[in-house]
Amino acid sequence: MMELLFLPFGEFGFMARALVACMAVGLGAAPMGVLLVLRRMSLVGDAMAHAVLPGVAIGFLLAGFSVMAMTAGGLVAGLLVALLAGGVHRLTGQREDASFAAFYLIAMAVGVLLISVRGSSTDLVHVLFGNLLAVDDAALLLVATVATGTVVALALFFRALVTESLDPEYLRACGSPGGLYHGLFLGLVVINLVAGFHALGTLMAVGLMMLPAAAARYWADTVAGLMAVAVGLALTSAWVGLLLSYHLGAASGPAVVLVAGLCYAVSVLLGHHGGLITRLRLRRHLEA
Amino acid sequence: MAAIQLQDLTVCYHRHPAVHHVSGRFEAGSLTAVVGPNGAGKTTLLKAVAGLMRPESGRVDRSGSRDRVAYLPQQAEIDRTFPVRVQEMVELGLWQRLGAFGGVTVGQRRRAAGALAAVGLTGFERRSIASLSAGQFQRVLFARLLLQDASVLLLDEPFNAIDACTTADLLRVVARWHGEGRTVIAVLHDLDQVRAHFPRTLLMARTTVDWGATEQVLRAENLFRARQMAEAWDDTAVRCDREPAA
């Protein structure tokens, strides 16, 4: 049993690296997912993941499979889209989901166009879905740095980030730089997605960001609690997902995300904050 | 001394003025009701005073209000399912003092408990805001205002959809602020309530209809004049060429 659970990571360096990379992604991305869910921006994570595409493509076309170039490109493209979409929302009052949809669609078209002009479709697959089992030192270092930075930023700015999500109008009335915190938040989302794309690909990284966050809502009722549960689920998904992919010979990225999806399904059914079965079991109403 | 002074203030939405050339002063320590028909620009006026909307022309002079202006919006854009407890919500009132990083001191925690007691919510500290009724939630927002310790308080229809008992309790809080010498400006619709509790009134219909002692302002002919104001935008409205007052 122990062999089944731990051996692959001791035996094979690439499995150990994949596990570390995936857990680092989960550690940074899952709390960001919690804030996205609370702000009713669950789909914005997906939009942002597409938005980094043209930057990654430009980095790839200029320098090939260089972690630095692709990261820098993705970061610039993602921040640009976040800035434009957030700016349009703040300046014209258009809802954030609409402005994000507009800009990410433009960005994604640019990205696909760039790759189709110069690259091949295998390149596109790599960018979109990553290759968890081929994480190199540079990528590992990047993912770990981003996770560390995210946790530190969250600890420092926790109250500001939560308050800006809860009652932005109040912060504005207090004369607080709400836009700054909003920007910091979107920036953190972008760097986590860019880091995640090296391990899981842009699309799968969103899975590790949003699924544990959505599941956590069924287990906790404070923001800190939600983040703790989400991180726990993300780390578990990384470990179990990689094991499954090893033993079944399945693709690793999707396996990790599917385990996170399973966690979500179980939470919807059994979660004690409004899970379906809990609701059925506690059907009789109280006196007061 | 004026806590807030409006100098020929005009505030617009898409060039259509919601507040049109309004001048006047809210004296320090005054308790003023702002009344007028729907679309009269009451909310816009409050937002401009709170600094949340930029004047098209003219200005709001807040220099007389020393430091802090607190604002209670008409419908707080707060997601009531957000996982936050009553105590945390109330302690947000300390934001201007603590900023993003400061910690809540023992004394401040005691003041938060006092604020909750003042609005009749002792024992609700650990409850989530999702479990509160609309009236209880409004009490929480009043407790947050208490903790803000502002010298000027702007309340936009604070008793909307609130039952008589809660309204009476919250009116006592307003009276307490008035007694402490704070300036209170409240948008209201219930004219009997205004007559009973608010010594001064600004009656507006985009422009000032009348501004002064409540009994003087709420005369039948003033109310009739305010009702004459067309609510809708006039798409054929011509440009306003009134010169801003120097």
Side-chain angles (χ1 to χ4, degrees):
Chain A
M1 186 63 189
M2 292 303 278
E3 282 179 19
L4 217 61
L5 292 180
F6 295 105
L7 197 63
F9 301 115
E11 197 98 309
F12 301 104
F14 70 89
M15 283 295 285
R17 301 165 80 88
L19 183 66
V20 172
C22 212
M23 285 189 154
V25 170
L27 184 64
M32 290 296 116
V34 167
L35 286 177
L36 282 169
V37 169
L38 290 178
R39 301 175 72 111
R40 305 185 174 198
M41 288 167 67
S42 301
L43 293 174
V44 166
D46 198 39
M48 293 307 302
H50 290 82
V52 303
L53 202 59
V56 174
I58 290 172
F60 172 71
L61 293 177
L62 291 180
F65 275 112
S66 148
V67 169
M68 278 310 293
M70 287 160 79
T71 304
L75 213 56
V76 169
L79 289 177
L80 196 66
V81 165
L83 211 65
L84 286 170
V88 164
H89 162 66
R90 278 185 173 263
L91 293 178
T92 72
Q94 179 168 54
R95 292 210 176 264
E96 217 164 5
D97 60 335
S99 62
F100 265 98
F103 283 106
Y104 102 75
L105 286 166
I106 296 170
M108 190 176 60
V110 171
V112 173
L113 192 76
L114 283 173
I115 292 176
S116 74
V117 167
R118 290 281 305 278
S120 68
S121 62
T122 39
D123 301 332
L124 186 62
V125 167
H126 178 89
V127 170
L128 287 178
F129 301 107
N131 188 357
L132 193 42
L133 302 181
V135 177
D136 60 12
D137 280 347
L140 203 58
L141 193 67
L142 173 80
V143 172
T145 308
V146 167
T148 311
T150 304
V151 171
V152 171
L154 254 181
L156 280 176
F157 293 96
F158 184 75
R159 182 152 27 126
L161 290 170
V162 172
T163 307
E164 212 276 323
S165 307
L166 169 66
D167 195 353
E169 194 181 26
Y170 175 72
L171 276 198
R172 273 210 303 149
C174 284
S176 227
L180 213 65
Y181 301 133
H182 191 178
L184 171 73
F185 167 67
L186 290 176
L188 284 173
V189 171
V190 171
I191 56 170
N192 273 286
L193 285 170
V194 171
F197 118 82
H198 286 292
L200 292 155
T202 52
L203 295 187
M204 292 295 125
V206 188
L208 214 46
M209 180 178 277
M210 301 315 301
L211 281 168
R217 199 69 178 86
Y218 292 96
W219 301 105
D221 64 351
T222 63
V223 179
L226 286 171
M227 288 184 177
V229 172
V231 167
L233 290 176
L235 298 187
T236 311
S237 305
W239 182 49
V240 176
L242 280 171
L243 270 183
L244 282 178
S245 89
Y246 175 81
H247 289 300
L248 302 177
S252 50
V256 170
V257 175
L258 273 178
V259 172
L262 191 69
C263 291
Y264 174 72
V266 170
S267 304
V268 170
L269 286 175
L270 300 178
H272 60 83
H273 286 286
L276 282 175
I277 290 179
T278 317
R279 272 170 199 261
L280 283 177
R281 223 159 38 80
L282 302 175
R283 224 161 34 168
R284 292 294 296 270
H285 63 258
L286 305 172
E287 275 288 344
Chain B
M1 196 186 80
I4 301 279
Q5 194 151 6
L6 310 179
Q7 293 164 356
D8 198 31
L9 180 70
T10 295
V11 190
C12 296
Y13 295 97
H14 304 285
R15 296 181 64 215
H16 292 276
V19 173
H20 204 193
H21 298 290
V22 171
S23 293
R25 41 202 279 153
F26 296 97
E27 299 296 335
S30 62
L31 174 54
T32 310
V34 180
V35 296
N38 288 94
K42 308 183 292 293
T43 294
T44 309
L45 180 83
L46 240 56
K47 281 189 173 169
V49 172
L52 292 171
M53 277 192 78
R54 195 169 300 160
E56 183 81 15
S57 66
R59 61 187 289 263
V60 178
D61 182 0
R62 276 181 288 268
S63 54
S65 60
R66 297 197 308 277
D67 44 2
R68 276 184 280 271
V69 177
Y71 168 64
L72 178 69
Q74 184 176 4
Q75 237 132 32
E77 291 165 6
I78 297 174
D79 175 4
R80 294 267 303 278
T81 64
F82 205 97
V84 58
R85 298 186 196 285
V86 166
Q87 175 157 1
E88 296 166 312
M89 192 75 207
V90 171
E91 282 172 358
L92 278 185
L94 298 166
W95 185 273
Q96 277 153 314
R97 227 160 275 126
L98 299 180
F101 306 110
V104 180
T105 65
V106 177
Q108 285 168 333
R109 185 135 289 168
R110 211 174 301 130
R111 281 190 49 224
L116 271 176
V119 299
L121 285 184
T122 301
F124 278 66
E125 290 84 354
R126 309 277 303 157
R127 289 269 293 271
S128 73
I129 60 167
S131 70
L132 303 180
S133 70
Q136 287 168 336
F137 188 64
Q138 195 73 348
R139 287 172 190 258
V140 168
L141 292 183
F142 262 73
R144 184 170 80 173
L145 283 171
L146 275 165
L147 220 52
Q148 276 186 267
D149 194 23
S151 55
V152 176
L153 292 119
L154 309 169
L155 314 174
D156 197 350
E157 301 199 23
F159 310 127
N160 234 8
I162 302 294
D163 69 11
C165 174
T166 304
T167 302
D169 283 354
L170 296 183
L171 272 170
R172 267 194 289 282
V173 175
V174 171
R176 171 178 152 186
W177 283 325
H178 184 49
E180 290 167 348
R182 302 176 202 269
T183 311
V184 181
I185 306 168
V187 171
L188 295 167
H189 277 297
D190 182 342
L191 295 185
D192 294 331
Q193 192 179 65
V194 172
R195 288 196 180 93
H197 301 280
F198 290 78
R200 299 189 65 78
T201 296
L202 161 59
L203 174 60
M204 62 184 294
R206 267 183 232 152
T207 59
T208 311
V209 176
D210 201 359
W211 191 345
T214 297
E215 279 318 311
Q216 282 300 307
V217 171
L218 295 184
R219 282 173 300 163
E221 71 241 48
N222 276 345
L223 294 172
F224 180 76
R225 268 211 298 153
R227 269 198 296 273
Q228 294 304 301
M229 182 207 73
E231 267 193 36
W233 282 349
D234 185 353
D235 277 330
T236 60
V238 294
R239 206 177 65 207
C240 170
D241 282 329
R242 218 182 298 176
E243 282 301 316

